[in-house]
Amino acid sequence: GIDEVQFFDSTIVDVCEELTSCGIRVIVSGIPTDFRGEVFGSMPVLMARAEDIMRVHAVCAVCGEEIADFTQRIKIAEGKRIPAHYSDPLILVGGDADYEARCRIHHEVPGKPGK
């Protein structure tokens, strides 16, 4: 099993392919999109090549619906919790205070091109 597979570089796809071709069952978990709502690492390729995909949803921190598929990064500015800007660094190791689950309607990315 490999957790947080979105953080691995692209060689993880080859590793998973080699292990499965040897008859080893490989289970990976990770999030398919980053806080910007864009594909994250090798997740799209791994999902495309997987024999089975189990997609789970979280509860949206805003509306409470069990349809949250997005990761909302939160930052503190002037004492307020606000959504991270599109230009903020992609990787930020954090905890519950830095991220929350959001549904498509409540996911916000200030500064995202085309928005």
Side-chain angles (χ1 to χ4, degrees):
I2 304 167
D3 193 16
E4 302 282 4
V5 74
Q6 73 274 5
F7 293 121
F8 287 74
D9 66 27
S10 61
T11 60
I12 194 65
V13 175
D14 296 331
V15 170
C16 291
E17 290 280 352
E18 186 173 332
L19 290 170
T20 56
S21 67
C22 292
I24 298 170
R25 183 175 185 197
V26 178
I27 300 171
V28 301
S29 65
I31 55 175
T33 57
D34 59 25
F35 81 94
R36 298 172 178 151
E38 298 175 349
V39 295
F40 203 164
S42 297
M43 285 298 293
V45 177
L46 289 166
M47 291 172 75
R49 294 187 181 176
E51 279 92 23
D52 190 29
I53 298 171
M54 181 188 340
R55 191 155 178 158
V56 295
H57 307 279
V59 175
C60 178
V62 177
C63 67
E65 293 292 322
E66 194 175 323
I67 55 172
D69 285 333
F70 293 88
T71 300
Q72 182 72 63
R73 184 183 298 160
I74 303 296
K75 64 182 183 179
I76 306 297
E78 299 176 13
K80 296 181 182 178
R81 291 172 47 85
I82 62 170
H85 193 272
Y86 183 85
S87 63
D88 286 343
L90 180 62
I91 306 295
L92 171 71
V93 178
D96 292 343
D98 299 311
Y99 295 94
E100 60 187 29
R102 296 274 182 101
C103 67
R104 182 178 300 276
I105 294 169
H106 294 112
H107 183 248
E108 303 174 62
V109 186
K112 185 172 183 172
K115 292 286 178 174

